[in-house]
Amino acid sequence: MTTFAAKLEAAGHLLLDGAMGTELFARGLTSGDNPELWNVERPDDVAAVHRDYLQAGSDIVLTNTFGGSRFRLALHGLDDRVGELNAAGAAVARRAVEAAGTGALVAGSMGQSGELIEPLGPRTVDEMTDAFTAQAAALASGGADIVWIETFSAIDEIRAAVAGARAGAPKLPVVVTMSFDTAGRSMMGVRGAELAALAENLELDAFGANCGNNLAETESALREAIEGRGDRPVVSKANAGIPVWSDGGLVYDGSPEIMAAHAYRTRELGARLIGACCGSTPMHLAEMRAVLEGDKPPLDLPAPGPPPVDTDDAAQPRAPRRNRRGRGVTDD
C-alpha cells in the first residue's frame, strides 16, 4: 500500500488545496508571465501559497507545475527547462510540507498540454507520452508523492499522460481529474461514467473532477463517476463558483460557506479527496475543513440544479481552448 492509500484509508477523506494561479497573481504574477518560472526565481512566494493551504488544513498540496509540459513551456521559450522547473516546483512544495510538519503529501501537478493528438491534431501518442514522461520524472526527482494529472478533457491525452507518469515515476500513485463543462460533459464530450470506466481500465489510484463551468456541472459529473467507481477513490476539486465582473475585474461568486456546503454534499455523494480550484483561497479551504471535520454545520443550501439535458450537438467534442482559464498561464 502506498503512503497515499494508507493515509486516505486511515482518515476516510483527505482535504486537498485550492487555487495556485490566483494566489500567485495576488503576489505579483502578471498576465503573460510563466508561473513555473517562479519555482526558481521566486520560490519563497510559491512556498507561501503552499504554507497558507497547509495552515488551512490541506492534507495534499499540488505543485506549481500545471503548465510544466514541454508543449506549454514552449509558449514561453522554456521547453528546454522541463526538468529544472518541475523538479524545483516539487522541491518547493516538499520543503513547505516538511516545515509544516503535518505529514501532508505533495502531488505533482501535470495539466493538459494544450495540444491535440492525431487525427484531430498534429501530435502523435508517442510525442505526448514522451512529454509527460519527462515531466513526471522531474516531479518525482523533486520529491512528489503522487502524480496528479488534472483538468484534462480528452481520453486519448489521459492515456498518454498516465503512460508517461508510469514511465517517468513508476513508484508513484497516479490520480486523474477531468473538467466537466457543458451538459455534464468535458470539452471533448466525455461524461463522468466514461471517466469511471477509464479509471478501471487504467487502474488509477483515484479519479474525479476539477475546475468546470459551475458546481452543478461538477456535481452532476461526480454523481455519474461515483456510481461507476468500483472501489476507487473519487476526487472533487471544483471552482469557487462562477467568475463574475465586479469592481473592474473578475471574481468568483462562491464564498467559503458555499464551497464548504459543496464539499459536504460531495462527501455525502461519496467523494473522498475534496478541495477547490479556480478562485478559491486558504479561507475557502479552512471553512471546508471545519465543515468536513464537524466543527461547523454546513450552510443550509439547496443542491444546484442539474445541467441542461444533452442534445446531439452537446454530445459532440468542442473545439479545444488552447490556453484554458482565460489567462493561458496557469491552472487556477
Side-chain angles (χ1 to χ4, degrees):
M1 182 181 291
T2 65
T3 302
F4 167 57
K7 190 174 181 68
L8 181 56
E9 182 177 356
H13 71 268
L14 296 176
L15 186 70
L16 307 173
D17 61 4
M20 173 61 72
T22 44
E23 290 297 296
L24 293 183
F25 272 84
R27 289 165 169 81
L29 186 73
T30 61
S31 182
D33 288 347
N34 176 257
E36 285 76 21
L37 203 55
W38 276 37
N39 295 331
V40 295
E41 293 186 349
R42 296 181 61 172
D44 290 347
D45 288 301
V46 178
V49 178
H50 294 313
R51 183 181 64 244
D52 287 351
Y53 284 124
L54 291 164
Q55 289 176 348
S58 293
D59 299 304
I60 298 176
V61 293
L62 275 62
T63 57
N64 177 40
T65 57
F66 176 86
S69 71
R70 67 177 174 87
F71 297 115
R72 293 182 73 98
L73 289 178
L75 300 175
H76 303 273
L78 299 171
D79 45 314
D80 60 343
R81 299 178 68 178
V82 170
E84 174 195 5
L85 296 179
N86 283 278
V92 169
R94 171 58 55 201
R95 290 193 295 271
V97 162
E98 291 177 353
T102 61
L105 301 178
V106 173
S109 170
M110 299 203 311
Q112 63 177 337
S113 66
E115 300 286 331
L116 291 174
I117 296 174
E118 297 175 336
L120 296 178
R123 302 301 175 187
T124 66
V125 171
D126 286 347
E127 279 184 295
M128 198 72 77
T129 301
D130 287 347
F132 287 122
T133 298
Q135 188 177 7
L139 290 167
S141 73
D145 300 299
I146 308 161
V147 178
W148 199 278
I149 297 166
E150 59 170 333
T151 326
F152 277 55
S153 60
I155 285 178
D156 56 356
E157 190 176 7
I158 289 174
R159 289 187 181 277
V162 171
R166 288 179 172 153
K171 295 182 179 179
L172 299 187
V174 178
V175 176
V176 171
T177 62
M178 298 188 78
S179 175
F180 295 94
D181 297 326
T182 304
R185 295 177 181 270
S186 78
M187 185 168 54
M188 298 302 285
V190 182
R191 297 195 67 107
E194 294 174 86
L195 176 58
L198 182 67
E200 286 292 310
N201 180 259
L202 296 179
E203 298 183 347
L204 299 177
D205 293 274
F207 73 100
N210 80 297
C211 196
N213 272 358
N214 52 57
L215 296 183
E217 298 285 358
T218 299
E219 291 187 29
S220 175
L222 280 171
R223 189 172 288 105
E224 277 195 19
I226 287 166
E227 288 173 355
R229 74 185 185 276
D231 295 327
R232 299 185 192 284
V234 172
V235 180
S236 174
K237 202 173 192 289
N239 291 347
I242 301 171
V244 295
W245 193 260
S246 176
D247 296 327
L250 286 176
V251 297
Y252 283 78
D253 66 359
S255 68
E257 293 78 13
I258 288 172
M259 290 304 292
H262 165 74
Y264 184 84
R265 288 194 305 270
T266 57
R267 189 181 62 179
E268 292 298 293
L269 285 174
R272 298 179 62 197
L273 296 148
I274 302 168
C277 202
C278 303
S280 60
T281 68
M283 288 188 295
H284 288 82
L285 272 295
E287 186 74 14
M288 292 165 74
R289 180 90 187 187
V291 168
L292 291 174
E293 295 300 315
D295 297 329
K296 295 179 67 173
L299 203 62
D300 186 15
L301 291 174
V309 176
D310 281 338
T311 66
D312 290 341
D313 180 65
Q316 300 303 313
R318 267 77 72 193
R321 285 164 286 179
R322 185 179 182 87
N323 296 319
R324 176 135 176 84
R325 304 174 199 245
R327 294 186 295 270
V329 294
T330 186
D331 62 319
D332 307 301

